[in-house]
Amino acid sequence: MSNEGKNVLLKALIHCEGCVNKISSCLKGIEGIEEVQIDRENDRVTVKGKRVDPQRILERMKRKYSRNVELLSPKPNHPAPVNKEPQKKQDQIQIKTSVFKMSMHCEGCVNDIKRNIEAVQGILSVEPDREKSLVTVKGVFDPPKLAKTMSKRFGKHVEILKQEQPEKGKDNNKGAMDGGSSTNITMFHYPPQYSNGCIYPPMTFSDENVFSCSLM
């Protein structure tokens, strides 16, 4: 299956049929392009062909259509080096939830505990439960260190009952190259196939003006 064509997916703002025709016009004539699908509703342009050059298509779109065009797929062969230190810092600032057990005699104790813990850097919320003698703390902190600080500050025994680690977010990337149908996709074939489905871009649109459609 080595003769299968390549798919190049780009993101571009598509306002109207004039934009659709302008995209088709600026891509027309590029070697290797066999078909162009323009999804106006989702601002996506799919270019198909056996010898298409993603970088050349991107540069042509930026030069003749809009500088805001982005290449979504395929990704560049030489991605920028990833700095691992910021990732470590990001892992360290993940929000945690811990439950501490400590005695609370009255509402004054509850208010004092809540006020003092909220003053600690990194604490987002403090929820004391006087009846159960529990304090739920949410934020960016070290539970054992916070328990020690609380014990010194209030002169009470503090016990860690529960520590919940934050769940890592799931990446819900949608398959950009899925073959799903769309209700607002315009297709152009190169060379033209002279059928009823072939659309010829009007010549009234300037190749240098991305908003030429608005002049109508």
Side-chain angles (χ1 to χ4, degrees):
M1 303 298 291
S2 58
N3 293 327
E4 286 188 0
K6 296 180 181 179
N7 286 355
V8 178
L9 181 67
L10 304 106
K11 179 180 179 181
L13 295 178
I14 307 171
H15 304 95
C16 62
E17 282 300 317
C19 296
V20 172
N21 292 328
K22 185 170 178 61
I23 291 173
S24 173
S25 177
C26 78
L27 292 178
K28 187 176 182 180
I30 297 181
E31 183 180 0
I33 293 181
E34 298 175 359
E35 181 181 331
V36 176
Q37 295 181 0
I38 302 175
D39 186 350
R40 174 180 165 187
E41 183 176 344
N42 296 310
D43 294 325
R44 295 291 188 272
V45 179
T46 302
V47 181
K48 298 182 179 181
K50 294 181 180 179
R51 300 184 305 276
V52 292
D53 184 348
Q55 194 61 35
R56 182 181 178 187
I57 294 172
L58 177 63
E59 292 174 359
R60 180 77 167 264
M61 288 278 289
K62 283 187 174 184
R63 186 173 70 254
K64 292 201 170 187
Y65 182 72
S66 171
R67 295 180 181 179
N68 296 323
V69 176
E70 299 179 23
L71 177 63
L72 299 181
S73 178
K75 296 295 183 182
N77 294 329
H78 303 287
V82 178
N83 190 352
K84 296 183 179 180
E85 291 186 1
Q87 183 64 36
K88 291 182 180 180
K89 291 181 180 179
Q90 184 177 1
D91 293 340
Q92 293 173 359
I93 64 173
Q94 289 179 332
I95 297 174
K96 301 177 182 178
T97 301
S98 297
V99 180
F100 302 88
K101 183 176 180 63
M102 60 186 301
S103 61
M104 289 173 276
H105 304 96
C106 62
E107 285 300 320
C109 294
V110 172
N111 294 332
D112 190 38
I113 290 171
K114 182 177 176 63
R115 184 177 65 255
N116 280 274
I117 296 178
E118 285 179 340
V120 176
Q121 185 177 4
I123 301 300
L124 300 178
S125 67
V126 181
E127 299 178 5
D129 187 340
R130 178 184 169 190
E131 294 182 0
K132 298 180 181 180
S133 297
L134 300 178
V135 181
T136 302
V137 182
K138 189 174 183 179
V140 182
F141 61 94
D142 181 14
K145 185 177 180 179
L146 180 61
K148 187 176 180 180
T149 301
M150 291 164 59
S151 180
K152 288 183 178 180
R153 182 167 298 184
F154 302 115
K156 301 178 180 181
H157 175 70
V158 180
E159 180 182 353
I160 303 175
L161 295 184
K162 188 177 182 181
Q163 299 184 51
E164 294 181 359
Q165 294 296 332
E167 295 183 1
K168 295 182 178 179
K170 296 181 180 180
D171 187 7
N172 294 324
N173 290 332
K174 295 181 179 179
M177 306 307 294
D178 289 347
S181 61
S182 174
T183 58
N184 197 12
I185 296 180
T186 304
M187 299 175 60
F188 297 89
H189 295 272
Y190 300 104
Q193 311 214 346
Y194 302 100
S195 65
N196 293 332
C198 183
I199 302 177
Y200 295 90
M203 300 303 295
T204 56
F205 295 100
S206 169
D207 284 343
E208 302 299 330
N209 184 6
V210 66
F211 298 110
S212 58
C213 55
S214 64
L215 299 177
M216 299 299 292

